[in-house]
Amino acid sequence: MPQRLLTDSDCALVIVDVQEKLLPVINGKDDILANCVRLAKFAAIAVLPVIVCRQQKLGEIVPPLAQALPEGMEAIEKISFDCFGQGEFGRAVLAAGRKTLVVCGIEAHICVAQTTLSALAQGYGVHVIADAVGSRTEGNLNVALDRLAAAGAVVSSTEMFIYEVLKKAGTDQFKQVLPLVK
């Protein structure tokens, strides 16, 4: 099936488990966090719906990311690894009214993978942002990205996604995004 370019009216950003007790053990955590923050800030500029989940007992969403989220946004707490295992998440996805989920967060081979596979099974398009997902080991990250691509997810990058949605330079939106990509 040919891939089409994404649009701002097509996407919702899903942020999975970027939490205080989990992030410190993730391989490449600083770059992953920086890219998750960039994606959250871009979502505000592009007016994309954002859905955030956090695994029970792993702490709050880390402060730099929490500060980049829309004011008053509450993360959906879950106990299942698959975000769709929490009914509130599925309702939030439906309410967003978008056909494509853009997924970032941790861990790539557990919660990100299971959520992506469930979304694909439900007919959503999924873009997994490779430089904004992580695992404790590089091996688990690589296996997850390979499996998700084979299952039909598009593996992309933070900048690839941002520029794809922007479409062109010279707009007010482009000017707002420049500090995020420089």
Side-chain angles (χ1 to χ4, degrees), residues 42-119:
F42 175 70
I45 293 167
V47 195
L48 304 178
V50 178
I51 305 164
V52 182
C53 284
R54 67 183 183 93
Q55 190 74 24
Q56 193 175 73
K57 298 185 180 182
L58 293 180
E60 297 299 320
I61 300 301
V62 296
L65 180 56
Q67 292 163 7
L69 296 172
E71 179 122 5
M73 170 169 262
E74 293 288 327
I76 298 168
E77 188 171 271
K78 63 186 182 65
I79 59 170
S80 61
F81 301 125
D82 176 357
C83 293
F84 282 98
Q86 179 64 34
E88 187 180 347
F89 177 81
R91 289 188 292 277
V93 170
L94 282 174
R98 305 300 170 99
K99 298 177 289 190
T100 303
L101 302 182
V102 177
V103 182
C104 64
I106 51 183
E107 281 193 77
H109 66 294
I110 304 171
C111 297
V112 169
Q114 290 183 32
T115 301
T116 297
L117 294 168
S118 285

Side-chain angles (χ1 to χ4, degrees), residues 1-162:
M1 176 160 113
Q3 294 293 326
R4 57 180 172 59
L5 291 173
L6 295 176
T7 65
D8 56 2
S9 63
D10 190 37
C11 302
L13 178 63
V14 174
I15 303 172
V16 180
D17 301 348
V18 184
Q19 295 172 251
E20 295 166 331
K21 292 182 182 177
L22 186 55
L23 186 63
V25 299
I26 299 300
N27 185 41
K29 65 183 178 272
D30 295 334
D31 289 339
I32 292 162
L33 176 58
N35 285 324
C36 287
V37 168
R38 289 167 68 197
L39 289 166
K41 289 179 177 181
F42 175 70
I45 293 167
V47 195
L48 304 178
V50 178
I51 305 164
V52 182
C53 284
R54 67 183 183 93
Q55 190 74 24
Q56 193 175 73
K57 298 185 180 182
L58 293 180
E60 297 299 320
I61 300 301
V62 296
L65 180 56
Q67 292 163 7
L69 296 172
E71 179 122 5
M73 170 169 262
E74 293 288 327
I76 298 168
E77 188 171 271
K78 63 186 182 65
I79 59 170
S80 61
F81 301 125
D82 176 357
C83 293
F84 282 98
Q86 179 64 34
E88 187 180 347
F89 177 81
R91 289 188 292 277
V93 170
L94 282 174
R98 305 300 170 99
K99 298 177 289 190
T100 303
L101 302 182
V102 177
V103 182
C104 64
I106 51 183
E107 281 193 77
H109 66 294
I110 304 171
C111 297
V112 169
Q114 290 183 32
T115 301
T116 297
L117 294 168
S118 285
L120 291 167
Q122 293 178 51
Y124 291 99
V126 182
H127 282 235
V128 177
I129 307 301
D131 59 359
V133 297
S135 295
R136 286 165 284 161
T137 69
E138 187 176 346
N140 277 329
L141 171 63
N142 292 335
V143 168
L145 293 175
D146 289 346
R147 179 174 179 200
L148 296 175
V154 175
V155 176
S156 189
S157 72
T158 299
E159 283 197 19
M160 181 180 252
F161 167 69
I162 288 171

